[in-house]
Amino acid sequence: MKRFFNYMICVFALGSLLSCSKDNDNLTVDLTKYNPDITAQNNVDKWLTSNLVNPYNIETVYRFERNFTDVNRDISPVALGQVEPMMNAVLTTYLQPYEKIGGKTFIKKYTPKQFVLYGSPSYNTNGSITLGTADNGRRIVLYELNSLDFNNPAAVKRPVRTIHHEFTHILNQNIVIPPAFEQISKADYTADWTGAANTPALAKSLGFVSQYSRSSFGEDFAEMNAHLLVEGQVWFDNYCATTSPSAAAKLREKEKLVVSYFKDYYNIDYRALQAEVQRVLKEGYGATDPVDQTKTFKAYLIGNKVASFTFNPTASHYATYGQSSAFQSLFNSFKNAVGTSGRTVQSLQFIFQSSSKMTLRVIYLSAAGSTLNADYDFSMSVDYSTGQTKFVKQLPEGTGTTYTNGTTPAVLTPFETYLLPYLTNRVFVASFFPTAMTASNPDFGKFGGFYVDGTASNYFYGPIVLK
């Protein structure tokens, strides 16, 4: 079931993903269990006073109060057992990090003085749901807390991201967003961000960190900040590494402006703030970084960081880490065919001229024993998400001795018989090798190559030479 999450501030509506109607959730609640009219202090009240009221002058409204939300909507009260865990998350992942990095004066001046908690989402007429609102810098309202599992790091991140998003709006109300930020994606903002056409993939391809970011530059700025702080730098780097270079450039420029905004206008070391939020999420809630996609062979290729790798079947690393019998058989057939003319193939070098051009160099000995090179050019496309790679033969060949050697019938005919159809009739996946090697191995990342998509046993690789 798809649902759209909405955050809102004042007259702005903010969001991030999912759709359903209120009929899908049970909003029938026994209000007697929530004691909305009882004012006697309980243990939750004592904790709130000690941790939020006294140090920050922040009030938490958890007893059911209709006047802090749209009275025309069906809203459930928050369960008592969810109050302290939620406000502890507010304290540890928002208030204390800002206090530690920005100082007590900063957080006391800008933080909202009231948090209002509700158990269910607030359903909107466009199929989205509201997860949070911020009212003129005074109040933050959080919804959908009854289903929140505080033992699930991903679940905890969602309301924390909402809080950071809403606080960004509060800061922007005091000091406006630099005009340069709006210009980066000005042509791609749309009020119809919940429309079917605005898929996560499309938003990403246009340089947005979420679907909701497209609704306005103010929401884009808030989403950027919330994702950088809560999802973390590894997540963001992965997001940039798995999209087009043009989209990644927009995202990086937005990141730069977010970082400078906090430093220039609030004198906050953004990277220190980000590290502190990440530390709390990891130590307090068990969050972990995703696999770093920027340190993958596909990312190296896309980033034009790879100079070459060489397949030499006599190299010792194949005895250590193995090689593909299917590719070895192909190589032997090619080698034997070239050998009928007295030439001896020694190795294949894959040279990456750019992120979109690969030159296959056949290194062989002439009949007289001289080392010669025969080069063949290919265009190369690497999918940002999957690492799927396609090679297409490029003609005409270049100039020079290496290309002339490639036109020699004794080399060209075997090339066109064995290597050319192998490379151009298959989809490959770029990867480090061995593919099962973990980052703890000292040889991790030293060998790169390709395996046939869907047939992992058919592969070729060699030691990576970086540019």
Side-chain angles (χ1 to χ4, degrees):
M1 171 174 67
K2 184 182 180 187
R3 304 162 70 196
F4 284 94
F5 299 134
N6 241 21
Y7 314 105
M8 298 175 61
I9 178 162
C10 301
V11 296
F12 302 106
L14 177 176
S16 98
L17 277 117
L18 266 93
S19 105
C20 70
S21 74
K22 63 185 180 183
D23 295 332
N24 296 114
D25 293 290
N26 182 9
L27 297 178
T28 301
V29 177
D30 181 0
L31 295 181
T32 62
K33 295 181 179 180
Y34 294 88
N35 302 316
D37 299 322
I38 297 176
T39 58
Q41 288 278 303
N42 56 43
N43 289 335
V44 171
D45 294 314
K46 293 176 182 178
W47 185 92
L48 293 171
T49 298
S50 176
N51 291 279
L52 295 171
V53 176
N54 291 341
Y56 301 103
N57 194 29
I58 292 176
E59 176 191 18
T60 303
V61 178
Y62 67 88
R63 292 176 173 86
F64 194 57
E65 173 56 70
R66 293 290 309 180
N67 294 328
F68 291 138
T69 187
D70 188 340
V71 296
N72 295 313
R73 301 189 184 193
D74 294 326
I75 304 293
S76 295
V78 65
L80 184 62
Q82 295 291 85
V83 176
E84 183 177 328
M86 184 65 254
M87 295 312 294
N88 186 63
V90 171
L91 175 67
T92 60
T93 68
Y94 159 57
L95 293 172
Q96 289 178 343
Y98 268 107
E99 180 180 6
K100 180 177 181 179
I101 307 303
K104 290 184 178 181
T105 300
F106 169 86
I107 197 62
K108 288 183 177 181
K109 178 178 180 180
Y110 293 108
T111 187
K113 297 306 178 184
Q114 187 179 68
F115 280 79
V116 181
L117 311 183
Y118 291 107
S120 67
S122 178
Y123 293 91
N124 304 310
T125 57
N126 64 358
S128 65
I129 62 173
T130 297
L131 292 180
T133 62
D135 300 330
N136 297 317
R138 172 74 176 85
R139 175 188 303 120
I140 286 182
V141 182
L142 298 176
Y143 299 90
E144 203 180 32
L145 300 181
N146 285 348
S147 61
L148 182 57
D149 179 4
F150 289 93
N151 293 315
N152 182 338
V156 172
K157 282 183 177 182
R158 195 172 74 183
V160 172
R161 202 169 61 233
T162 301
I163 294 164
H164 282 282
H165 177 111
E166 298 301 341
F167 187 59
T168 308
H169 284 312
I170 292 171
L171 295 178
N172 294 160
Q173 287 176 335
N174 285 273
I175 301 178
V176 298
I177 300 168
F181 187 92
E182 181 181 7
Q183 300 306 312
I184 297 171
S185 294
K186 187 173 183 179
D188 294 317
Y189 292 118
T190 174
D192 186 27
W193 70 273
T194 61
N198 186 35
T199 62
L202 175 62
K204 183 176 183 178
S205 72
L206 294 173
F208 293 97
V209 78
S210 71
Q211 287 171 282
Y212 188 69
S213 296
R214 291 193 66 193
S215 62
S216 72
F217 76 94
E219 304 303 347
D220 193 8
F221 191 93
E223 281 287 84
M224 281 291 300
N225 181 45
H227 280 77
L228 281 165
L229 291 179
V230 180
E231 299 301 332
Q233 194 62 39
V234 175
W235 180 92
F236 184 76
D237 290 345
N238 285 351
Y239 195 82
C240 293
T242 54
T243 190
S244 67
S246 61
K250 291 180 180 179
L251 287 162
R252 290 299 186 185
E253 185 62 23
K254 292 176 184 180
E255 175 191 22
K256 178 181 177 181
L257 289 174
V258 169
V259 172
S260 63
Y261 173 87
F262 277 83
K263 181 62 178 177
D264 294 344
Y265 299 122
Y266 291 106
N267 196 31
I268 288 178
D269 182 338
Y270 191 82
R271 295 309 182 188
L273 176 64
Q274 183 185 44
E276 184 63 16
V277 173
Q278 287 295 298
R279 182 192 67 78
V280 174
L281 286 169
K282 290 170 183 175
E283 295 179 4
Y285 295 95
T288 57
D289 284 328
V291 175
D292 190 346
Q293 295 295 325
T294 67
K295 294 180 174 60
T296 60
F297 189 56
K298 67 177 180 181
Y300 286 1
L301 291 173
I302 293 169
N304 193 25
K305 296 179 179 180
V306 182
S308 66
F309 72 82
T310 301
F311 172 78
N312 182 346
T314 63
S316 61
H317 49 259
Y318 295 112
T320 303
Y321 294 119
Q323 58 181 302
S324 166
S325 59
F327 187 77
Q328 181 65 54
S329 177
L330 176 82
F331 177 83
N332 288 339
S333 295
F334 170 70
K335 180 179 179 179
N336 292 337
V338 174
T340 60
S341 63
R343 296 167 174 82
T344 304
V345 175
Q346 293 186 309
S347 60
L348 302 176
Q349 188 175 29
F350 296 83
I351 303 171
F352 301 95
Q353 310 286 2
S354 69
S355 61
S356 59
K357 180 181 178 181
M358 184 274 289
T359 298
L360 172 61
R361 172 166 292 174
V362 179
I363 302 173
Y364 66 97
L365 297 178
S366 68
S370 299
T371 299
L372 302 174
N373 299 327
D375 288 354
Y376 303 95
D377 291 335
F378 294 79
S379 66
M380 177 182 70
S381 61
V382 183
D383 185 88
Y384 306 102
S385 299
T386 64
Q388 289 181 323
T389 305
K390 296 180 181 179
F391 299 105
V392 177
K393 186 69 183 69
Q394 295 296 289
L395 291 173
E397 298 291 3
T399 59
T401 302
T402 59
Y403 291 101
T404 300
N405 292 340
T407 63
T408 302
V411 181
L412 179 61
T413 299
F415 166 77
E416 293 180 335
T417 301
Y418 298 103
L419 297 181
L420 181 60
Y422 176 81
L423 290 172
T424 57
N425 293 343
R426 292 166 175 80
V427 175
F428 296 90
V429 177
S431 177
F432 288 139
F433 281 85
T435 55
M437 184 182 288
T438 63
S440 61
N441 191 304
D443 280 345
F444 179 79
K446 290 184 178 180
F447 304 100
F450 303 89
Y451 62 85
V452 176
D453 191 18
T455 311
S457 61
N458 192 343
Y459 59 87
F460 56 97
Y461 72 98
I464 299 171
V465 177
L466 296 176
K467 292 181 178 179

